[in-house]
Amino acid sequence: MRLLALGAQGLFDGVAVTRGRVMVLVEGDRIVAVDRSGAAPPPHAEVVELTDATLLPGLVDAHVHLAFDPMGHPLVDVLEVDDDVLLSRMRANAAQALAAGITTMRDLGDARYLTGRLRSAWAGGPELLMSGPPITRTGGHCWFLGGEADGVDGVRAAVAQRVAAGVDVIKIMATGGLMTPGFGVHESQYGPVELRAACEAAHDCGLAVTAHAHGPRGIAESFAAGVDGVEHATFLTPDGVEFNAGTVDRLAAAGVFVGATEAWLPGGPPLPPADAVRLEQCRANVVRMQRAGVRVVCSSDAGVGSRKPHDVLPHGVVLFASLGFSTMEALAAVTSVAARACGVGSRKGRLAPSFDADILAVAGDPTTDVRALLDVRAVFRAGRRV
Ligand SMILES: [Zn+2]
């Protein structure tokens, strides 16, 4: 099998940094060795010299919507556009992400299980993980994606349908959301019994559950029901933000992942003053959760707006670093920690022997300045250069 030797001037392996001459050896689609000694490549290896670049694990975006057009309207998009048009858009969105070094994407809300169709039809893209249509109450957040289910029996049937469709994770809308009128973002859409039924049904089938939850009550009840992850976790109330240290301590102690969907393109129109204050509070809470020991993932929610194109994730790392995460913590939040959150931590998110050869090379040193992530030199997906 072809042996590839990627040479560079440093690497972040998902956890720790090495500066100086490094070489990652790739055989087929796997990493077989990571050399930090400065040794010459094996004589039979094909050398790819990336000179002054730094190597990292390919990035993992744990929360995307491939079917959404960031410049469009999700509701109109999925209700009025046919499958072939959506599939070609999803493929273009995924290709855009891959070019930016995002080699794994977890779709937490598609329509008609199209992410599954895309991944079986396209071998050259990023690794795609999927929840299928999020489970939501009738008329609830993102109902238009087709995941409406009510009551314990309805929720259990919805989980069973997703298991049959081959999903990787169950996504349930515990509270309202920003893009769907009808429920306030802080309002709970399900009670404790439905949330628990979803978790039990999923866990019985070996699947994790991640709950979309903004309101303090929805976050606490999702935790109590046994979810493995919480998306957003903004602690939004009708008129502000109400951080609950007790809930956060419980999330930390249980190892529940929190997906902070804070990757945005810089710029954009100024927010109304009250919204700007809330946004700052939510961002400060991301750091508070991390300091409390929560496994915080940096993700994007790509597709939900014009400042969230599908390659936006590196901007989230820049934001995390500006909030007070160390550069290594911010990088881990899109590599090793994100991979574990997605259930693929044994083969993604690290540069280490036996891991998938999903590798990103960027100019300069992202462990001193994370903006280096925006200067991509090469992307390898399953050992092939993109
Ligand atoms: Zn989302």
Side-chain angles (χ1 to χ4, degrees), residues 58-361:
L59 309 184
V60 176
D61 195 338
H63 187 147
V64 307
H65 300 277
L66 282 173
F68 291 3
D69 173 359
M71 305 307 286
H73 191 289
L75 193 151
V76 177
D77 281 358
V78 300
L79 289 181
E80 296 181 7
V81 176
D82 72 34
D83 287 2
D84 288 340
V85 174
L86 272 186
L87 278 166
S88 67
R89 178 197 297 157
M90 292 166 76
R91 183 169 171 148
N93 288 341
Q96 182 186 4
L98 186 59
I102 301 159
T103 50
T104 301
M105 306 178 87
R106 183 171 70 166
D107 192 309
L108 287 185
D110 74 330
R112 309 188 285 276
Y113 299 98
L114 289 174
T115 304
R117 273 181 61 188
L118 180 64
R119 75 175 167 193
S120 52
W122 181 31
E127 174 132 353
L128 300 179
L129 306 168
M130 64 163 189
S131 68
I135 299 173
T136 193
R137 66 179 280 174
T138 295
H141 182 44
C142 286
W143 60 269
F144 50 86
L145 293 174
E148 290 174 311
D150 299 298
V152 166
D153 291 344
V155 165
R156 282 188 171 277
V159 171
Q161 184 196 60
R162 282 154 185 74
V163 170
V167 302
D168 305 283
V169 62
I170 296 296
K171 164 103 175 278
I172 185 160
M173 302 299 205
T175 71
L178 292 166
M179 75 168 53
T180 317
F183 283 92
V185 288
H186 60 282
E187 280 183 271
S188 293
Q189 297 197 157
Y190 286 116
V193 285
E194 287 105 337
L195 293 173
R196 185 169 290 281
C199 290
E200 285 174 359
H203 292 162
D204 282 350
C205 298
L207 288 182
V209 177
T210 196
H212 159 108
H214 285 289
R217 192 179 122 206
I219 297 168
E221 289 182 352
S222 296
F223 169 76
V227 299
D228 307 274
V230 177
E231 304 302 314
H232 313 301
T234 52
F235 293 96
L236 285 170
T237 66
D239 46 12
V241 179
E242 199 175 284
F243 188 78
N244 187 312
T247 299
V248 169
D249 286 344
R250 285 186 280 280
L251 292 170
V256 172
F257 293 93
V258 165
T261 53
E262 286 297 339
W264 302 83
L265 280 187
L271 291 171
D275 290 355
V277 169
R278 266 199 293 267
L279 181 64
E280 287 314 307
Q281 288 174 311
C282 291
R283 288 178 173 174
N285 287 341
V286 174
V287 183
R288 288 173 78 181
M289 286 190 272
Q290 198 254 358
R291 295 285 176 263
V294 173
R295 301 199 278 187
V296 177
V297 176
C298 177
S299 57
S300 70
D301 219 354
V304 302
S306 61
R307 289 177 62 206
K308 288 187 178 284
H310 290 81
D311 58 356
V312 76
L313 184 64
H315 292 281
V317 183
V318 175
L319 179 84
F320 267 41
S322 76
L323 292 174
F325 281 65
S326 73
T327 54
M328 307 254 247
E329 289 166 347
L331 292 168
V334 287
T335 54
S336 53
V337 178
R340 270 182 247 134
C342 293
V344 292
S346 62
R347 61 188 179 89
K348 304 280 188 194
R350 301 287 307 275
L351 294 182
S354 87
F355 276 69
D356 291 354
D358 294 351
I359 300 167
L360 168 61

